[in-house]
């Protein structure tokens, strides 16, 4: 009885164990099958594709990619390429059902004889399954998954569909994924233009792209191409004569980048705009097409002229440079450089579209974008907003202001005019008497000497340290007189000037102090150009932008930019400022640009110790600003000015970017009238006045008195030009 019970117990335990083993096995099989991806997903398979950036005219600028790839349909691929691939990779491709037992047996026998793996038996369908869905690890489990997935692919897709997927997926070396990218990388051609020997060479790369690379091993590549051509002849795809002719042709490969990245600073600028919206995966693998606002012709002119002028500066003045100490150098740059640096921005004032942007001399050496990130003092390039505020407050172009020495006290809190005189010597005496101090030189007073109550003294001066006396606002801005600018800020108030500048487009914080009129608050090149664009666009501000349109890989539009426009300033005031700035070019510090013969308005800027040189000039259709300076804020050189360096650079750029153009003058808004006035006095001109100008005024502000000066008795002197 014990024996019978023991046997029953043993059978029961054994049965339970076998059932458990079977259940675990079935569960493992189910898990294994679940891990195999469905071939159905191939119907919607979207491999990583490079994102293309093109300019406004469709010219290629750059690519974003992790894998350089662009898909094409089988009908776009020359028939020689699939034939070459079949000949060298899978000769029975159109006969087998996914697994080629003949090839597997042949490969197994060859490997056994060689004692190592010398031949593979994988079909094109197997390679497709492995490359898209599986890893390259050589395990039994991976191989089983590959076989099952291969059978599913063959069952679901036609041979031509499999071939198209394969040719768009396979790696050809050189960073090229897919045959279309390979045609560009190795031959600089569209895939449609490949000939027989080129198709044979590409097919030969698939097995070992590095070993048969025509760049690394041209002889091996030529030999491999010969093998492919021989196989094609054996299979009847080509004749013996075609094989001989193809073998006789040189490889004719060249290291070719489908898109050489251009406008690197601009591309990085729009990348920072796009990435938060679309994400890195879509941007680098999504095959997007991004149409930028950039005009490649203008961009190339910008890069060329900037390097030419800055290199010339280095050659002539670079040896005189005295860099500031590292302790004083606070700009966050990836690479310091002793060369002079520069930036240029050109945009369409009507829309805000950026047409050209250069942020430095070498993006590879320094990714710091001096067009959008560097905050520098604009100097006299800020004066148009001072004059604009004055015009809003009731001044006219004919208003007269003293260009004479002046001293202020308590300038940082509540500025008060301390003294003014006809010479600095007299001014020193007045300051000494008012403050009961002794100053032996202008330099001593210039260092903000404090009185007994701790109030600071400030003595602004002109760039040339000369003065003209009573001068019209027109002449004052043409000659860039600092003392007139300070007096205007004092008259209208710093906050009125701040409002004018900020409404125009300045976004940086501005300090409401008298020195604001001398451009002491920092700005970026882009925002200053944008503010000038508001002047050019009749007071309508346009937000700067760099992307016009984004399309997905199928051509569907994902984004179209709508210009953001706001009417911020009076069209009459902005026209009057523009009319004044045209005088800067006609007979002031921007005179060099007059040679263009265009209706250019603009303003130079040279900061203290010549650390920054600017020129912002504009036409109704385009606004361009240039800046040059050292990254460490060193002086460019004693008395070097924007009129002699920045304006010629700007002029060369405009001439190359916009050749043979006839620009219309700025349109005149309503309630603007013109009157002939004496340029020196601002009164209505008489026939005896030597300097007569047709001046613009807001209706009702034009002068009513005729000039009473006897110009024949007035001694004509050479007038200084400021910055």
């Amino acid at each position: 009885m014990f024996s019978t019970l023991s046997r029953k117990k043993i059978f029961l335990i054994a049965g339970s164990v076998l059932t458990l083993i079977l259940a675990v096995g079935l569960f493992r099989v189910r898990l294994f099958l679940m891990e195999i991806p469905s071939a159905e997903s191939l119907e919607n398979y979207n491999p990583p594709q490079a994102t293309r950036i093109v300019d406004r005219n469709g010219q290629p600028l750059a690519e974003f990619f992790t894998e350089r790839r662009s898909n094409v349909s089988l009908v776009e691929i020359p028939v020689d390429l699939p034939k070459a691939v079949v000949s060298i990779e899978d000769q029975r491709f159109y006969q087998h059902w996914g697994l080629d037992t003949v090839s597997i047996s042949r490969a197994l026998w060859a490997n056994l004889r060689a004692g190592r793996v010398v031949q593979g038996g994988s079909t094109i369908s197997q390679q497709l399954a492995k490359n898209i869905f599986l890893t390259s690890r050589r395990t039994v489990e991976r191989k089983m998954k590959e076989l099952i997935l291969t059978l599913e692919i063959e069952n679901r897709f036609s041979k031509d569909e499999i071939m198209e997927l394969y040719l768009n997926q396979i790696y050809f070396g050189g960073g090229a994924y897919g045959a279309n990218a390979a045609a560009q990388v190795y031959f600089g051609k569209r895939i449609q233009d490949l000939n027989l020997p080129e198709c044979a060479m590409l097919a030969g790369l698939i097995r070992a792209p590095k070993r048969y690379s025509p760049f690394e091993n041209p002889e091996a590549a030529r030999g491999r191409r010969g093998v492919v051509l021989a196989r094609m002849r054996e299979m009847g795809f080509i004749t013996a004569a075609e094989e001989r002719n193809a073998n006789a042709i040189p490889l004719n490969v060249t290291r070719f980048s489908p898109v050489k990245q251009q406008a690197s600073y601009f591309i990085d600028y729009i990348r920072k705009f796009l990435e938060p919206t679309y994400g890195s995966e879509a941007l680098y693998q999504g095959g997007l097409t991004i149409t930028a606002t950039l005009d490649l012709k203008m961009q190339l002119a910008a890069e060329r002229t900037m390097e030419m002028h800055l290199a010339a500066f280095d050659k002539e003045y670079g040896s005189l440079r005295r860099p500031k100490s590292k302790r004083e150098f606070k700009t966050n740059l990836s690479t310091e450089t002793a060369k002079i640096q520069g930036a240029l921005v050109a945009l369409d004032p009507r829309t805000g579209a950026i047409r050209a942007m250069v942020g430095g001399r070498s993006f590879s050496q320094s990714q710091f974008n001096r067009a959008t990130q560097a905050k520098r003092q604009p100097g006299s390039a800020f004066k148009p907003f001072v004059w604009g505020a004055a015009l809003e407050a009731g001044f006219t172009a004919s208003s007269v202001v003293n260009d004479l020495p002046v001293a202020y006290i308590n300038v940082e809190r509540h500025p008060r005019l301390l003294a003014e005189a006809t010479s600095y010597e007299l001014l020193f005496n007045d300051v000494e008497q008012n403050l009961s101090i002794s100053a032996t030189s202008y330099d001593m007073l210039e260092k903000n000497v404090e009185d007994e109550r701790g109030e600071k003294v400030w003595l602004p001066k002109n760039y040339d340290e000369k003065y003209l006396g009573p001068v019209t606002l027109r002449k004052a801005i043409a000659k860039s007189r600092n003392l007139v600018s300070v007096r205007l800020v004092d008259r209208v108030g710093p906050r009125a000037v701040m409002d004018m500048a900020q409404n125009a487009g300045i976004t940086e914080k501005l300090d409401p102090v008298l020195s604001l009129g001398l451009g002491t608050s920092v700005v970026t090149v882009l925002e200053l150009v944008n503010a000038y664009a508001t002047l050019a666009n009749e007071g309508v501000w346009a937000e700067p932008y760099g992307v016009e349109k984004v399309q997905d890989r199928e051509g569907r539009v994902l984004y179209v930019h709508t210009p953001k426009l706001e009417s911020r300033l009076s069209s009459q005031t902005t026209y009057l400022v523009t009319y004044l700035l045209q005088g800067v070019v006609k007979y002031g510090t921007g005179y060099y640009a007059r040679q263009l013969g265009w209706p250019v308005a603009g303003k130079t800027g040279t900061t203290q110790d010549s650390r920054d040189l600017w020129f912002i000039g504009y036409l109704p259709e385009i606004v361009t600003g240039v800046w040059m300076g050292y990254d460490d804020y060193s002086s460019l050189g004693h008395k070097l000015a924007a009129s002699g360096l920045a304006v010629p650079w700007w002029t060369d750029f405009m001439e190359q970017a916009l050749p043979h153009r006839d620009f219309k003058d700025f349109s005149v808004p309503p309630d603007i009238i013109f009157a002939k006035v004496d340029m020196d006095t601002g009164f209505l001109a008489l026939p005896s006045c030597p300097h007569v100008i047709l001046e613009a005024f807001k209706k009702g502000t034009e002068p009513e008195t005729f000039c009473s000066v006897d110009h024949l008795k007035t001694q004509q002197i050479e007038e200084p030009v400021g910055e």
Side-chain angles (χ1 to χ4, degrees):
M1 185 174 180
F2 175 78
S3 176
T4 302
L5 289 174
S6 295
R7 282 196 299 272
K8 287 182 178 180
K9 189 174 182 179
I10 291 171
F11 283 128
L12 182 61
I13 292 172
S16 298
V17 170
L18 288 174
T19 301
L20 180 61
I21 291 172
L22 181 61
V24 170
L26 291 173
F27 181 72
R28 288 293 305 275
V29 170
R30 186 169 183 271
L31 285 179
F32 176 79
L33 293 174
M34 288 176 63
E35 290 174 355
I36 300 175
S38 171
E40 183 180 355
S41 60
L42 268 176
E43 294 178 359
N44 300 313
Y45 175 62
N46 289 317
Q49 290 191 45
T51 287
R52 299 172 60 245
I53 302 97
V54 299
D55 84 337
R56 61 185 299 215
N57 300 311
Q59 295 297 312
L61 292 174
E63 289 180 341
F64 297 144
F65 60 89
T66 53
E67 298 178 1
R68 190 185 295 281
R69 181 201 310 271
S70 56
N71 290 353
V72 289
S73 64
L74 192 62
V75 295
E76 297 176 86
I77 298 173
V79 294
D80 285 331
L81 184 57
K83 290 178 180 178
V85 170
V86 166
S87 299
I88 198 67
E89 289 295 323
D90 188 357
Q91 295 182 17
R92 289 168 41 81
F93 173 68
Y94 289 101
Q95 287 79 46
H96 64 63
W97 40 273
L99 303 179
D100 188 356
T101 54
V102 174
S103 295
I104 292 173
S105 301
R106 185 169 56 245
L108 181 61
W109 174 244
N111 294 338
L112 286 173
R113 284 193 306 170
R116 56 188 177 88
V117 177
V118 295
Q119 188 174 326
S122 293
T123 65
I124 285 174
S125 301
Q126 285 177 276
Q127 292 180 49
L128 181 64
K130 179 181 69 174
N131 282 315
I132 293 182
F133 295 116
L134 304 172
T135 69
S136 58
R137 291 167 53 196
R138 294 190 175 188
T139 64
V140 174
E141 183 178 317
R142 198 274 293 166
K143 197 65 177 178
M144 290 178 62
K145 289 179 180 179
E146 177 189 303
L147 295 177
I148 295 171
L149 186 55
T150 297
L151 296 177
E152 190 177 351
I153 288 173
E154 285 278 345
N155 182 58
R156 180 171 290 276
F157 298 101
S158 70
K159 291 291 186 178
D160 282 348
E161 289 172 330
I162 293 172
M163 178 60 71
E164 180 178 307
L165 286 166
Y166 179 81
L167 289 176
N168 280 310
Q169 169 63 31
I170 205 70
Y171 182 58
F172 286 86
Y177 288 81
N180 192 36
Q184 294 175 318
V185 166
Y186 290 104
F187 302 109
K189 290 184 175 182
R190 301 182 309 159
I191 192 168
Q192 299 95 317
D193 299 328
L194 293 182
N195 57 33
L196 171 61
E198 291 166 345
C199 290
M201 196 210 80
L202 290 185
L205 289 171
I206 295 173
R207 184 65 54 86
K210 186 172 180 61
R211 184 193 312 164
Y212 299 122
S213 168
F215 301 141
E216 306 296 331
N217 302 295
E219 288 305 315
R222 178 186 283 275
R224 180 67 171 171
R225 184 185 69 173
V227 172
V228 174
L229 290 169
R231 294 275 180 89
M232 292 180 73
R233 189 245 313 146
E234 291 169 4
M235 293 188 66
F237 290 143
I238 60 174
T239 65
E242 288 174 321
E243 179 189 4
R244 284 194 304 274
N245 292 336
N247 273 320
I249 295 175
L251 291 177
N252 288 331
V253 293
T254 180
R255 288 190 182 274
F256 181 84
S257 174
V259 176
K260 178 184 178 183
Q261 178 160 314
Q262 304 183 86
S264 297
Y265 286 101
F266 175 80
I267 295 300
D268 191 56
Y269 170 77
I270 64 170
R271 178 189 61 78
K272 292 175 182 176
F273 164 76
L274 293 164
E275 204 159 10
T277 302
Y278 298 98
S280 297
E281 184 175 346
L283 200 58
Y284 288 89
Q285 301 179 17
L288 305 177
T289 298
I290 297 163
T291 303
T293 59
L294 209 73
D295 185 305
L296 182 57
K297 180 181 178 181
M298 294 185 70
Q299 178 66 27
L300 295 177
E303 294 174 0
R304 182 170 57 247
T305 56
M306 187 176 99
E307 181 56 32
M308 179 180 71
H309 281 267
L310 298 189
F313 178 91
D314 281 336
K315 184 177 181 180
E316 185 168 357
Y317 302 106
S319 61
L320 305 177
R321 176 177 179 263
R322 290 175 295 181
K324 297 174 76 67
S325 67
K326 290 185 178 181
R327 181 177 58 84
E328 294 173 281
F329 183 32
K330 298 178 181 178
T331 304
N332 182 21
L333 302 176
S334 58
T335 303
E336 294 185 26
T337 173
K339 292 183 177 181
I340 191 73
Q341 278 292 350
L344 181 150
V345 171
L347 57 80
D348 186 335
R350 300 162 297 185
T351 62
I354 298 170
R355 300 303 186 204
M357 174 186 285
V358 189
R361 297 178 71 173
S362 172
F363 186 79
S364 63
Q365 293 181 11
S366 170
Q367 288 77 56
F368 183 73
N369 190 335
R370 295 158 188 84
T372 62
Q373 295 175 282
K375 298 176 182 180
R376 310 287 295 220
Q377 291 182 339
S380 294
F382 189 82
K383 286 177 181 173
F385 310 110
V386 178
W387 264 247
L391 293 169
E392 282 286 301
F395 286 81
T396 72
S398 290
S399 297
V400 174
V401 178
N402 276 330
D403 179 34
L404 291 172
V406 65
Y408 288 90
I409 196 167
N410 198 16
V411 290
E412 294 183 356
R413 289 172 290 179
H414 301 288
R416 176 170 60 86
L417 181 63
L418 179 65
E420 57 183 335
T422 57
S423 69
Y424 283 116
E425 289 76 12
L426 293 175
L427 186 69
F428 295 162
N429 294 334
D430 288 347
V431 172
E432 288 176 330
Q433 290 174 12
N434 279 313
L435 299 183
S436 301
I437 61 173
S438 176
T440 58
S441 67
Y442 177 87
D443 290 336
M444 179 178 178
L445 289 175
E446 191 182 28
K447 294 178 180 177
N448 290 337
V449 175
E450 297 181 354
D451 69 354
E452 65 276 6
R453 293 170 295 181
E455 294 184 337
K456 290 185 177 180
V457 177
W458 180 50
L459 287 86
K461 60 180 179 179
N462 287 323
Y463 173 82
D464 52 26
E465 299 185 21
K466 299 178 182 178
Y467 48 90
L468 297 176
V471 64
T472 63
L473 292 197
R474 168 168 290 281
K475 184 178 290 188
I477 197 167
K479 305 297 183 181
S480 199
R481 310 313 288 167
N482 288 345
L483 293 172
V484 174
S485 186
V486 171
R487 279 186 165 89
L488 287 176
V489 177
D490 189 22
R491 295 277 291 275
V492 304
R495 294 203 173 272
V497 177
M498 285 175 54
D499 290 343
M500 174 66 64
Q502 289 171 342
N503 284 331
I506 299 297
T507 56
E508 288 295 330
K509 179 181 179 297
L510 300 175
D511 297 320
V513 294
L514 291 183
S515 61
L516 179 65
L518 304 183
T520 54
S521 292
V522 296
V523 295
T524 67
V525 177
L526 178 59
E527 68 177 319
L528 188 57
V529 171
N530 182 227
Y532 272 69
T534 305
L535 302 177
N537 198 31
E538 301 181 17
V540 178
W541 170 81
E543 183 179 42
Y545 69 101
V547 176
E548 289 284 7
K549 184 169 60 176
V550 178
Q551 296 167 273
D552 67 11
R553 66 174 70 197
E554 305 299 329
R556 293 184 293 263
V557 176
L558 304 179
Y559 167 83
V560 174
H561 180 82
T562 301
K564 184 178 180 181
L565 307 174
E566 296 176 7
S567 182
R568 292 187 174 184
L569 298 175
S570 159
S571 60
Q572 289 79 22
T573 298
T574 54
Y575 176 79
L576 293 177
V577 172
T578 294
Y579 198 63
L580 286 170
L581 295 182
Q582 286 182 289
V584 174
V585 174
K586 289 178 181 177
Y587 38 75
T589 57
Y591 189 82
Y592 188 94
R594 184 179 180 180
Q595 64 183 277
L596 292 172
W598 300 338
V600 176
K603 185 70 188 76
T604 53
T606 303
T607 61
Q608 187 176 15
D609 295 330
S610 298
R611 293 174 184 167
D612 305 90
L613 304 183
W614 300 75
F615 184 66
I616 318 294
Y618 59 95
L619 300 157
E621 300 176 13
I622 195 76
V623 182
T624 300
V626 299
W627 164 86
M628 60 189 296
Y630 286 109
D631 284 334
D632 64 357
Y633 301 95
S634 298
S635 171
L636 277 73
H638 182 63
K639 291 301 181 182
L640 291 180
S643 58
L645 292 168
V647 182
W649 164 19
W650 183 95
T651 304
D652 283 354
F653 162 71
M654 294 293 283
E655 192 169 30
Q656 293 185 36
L658 303 168
H660 314 301
R661 296 287 293 271
D662 294 323
F663 290 99
K664 295 180 180 179
D665 206 342
F666 297 91
S667 60
V668 182
D671 296 324
I672 293 292
I673 65 171
F674 294 87
K676 289 184 178 180
V677 301
D678 178 72
M679 189 173 174
D680 299 315
T681 66
F683 293 117
L684 293 173
L686 290 171
S688 60
C689 294
H691 302 139
V692 178
I693 185 171
L694 188 64
E695 191 58 87
F697 301 91
K698 289 183 184 177
K699 189 176 182 180
T701 66
E702 67 275 14
E704 298 178 349
T705 305
F706 283 92
C707 179
S708 60
V709 175
D710 186 350
H711 293 283
L712 296 177
K713 294 181 179 181
T714 303
Q715 184 180 4
Q716 298 297 317
I717 61 172
E718 183 179 352
E719 296 176 348
V721 175
E723 285 290 339

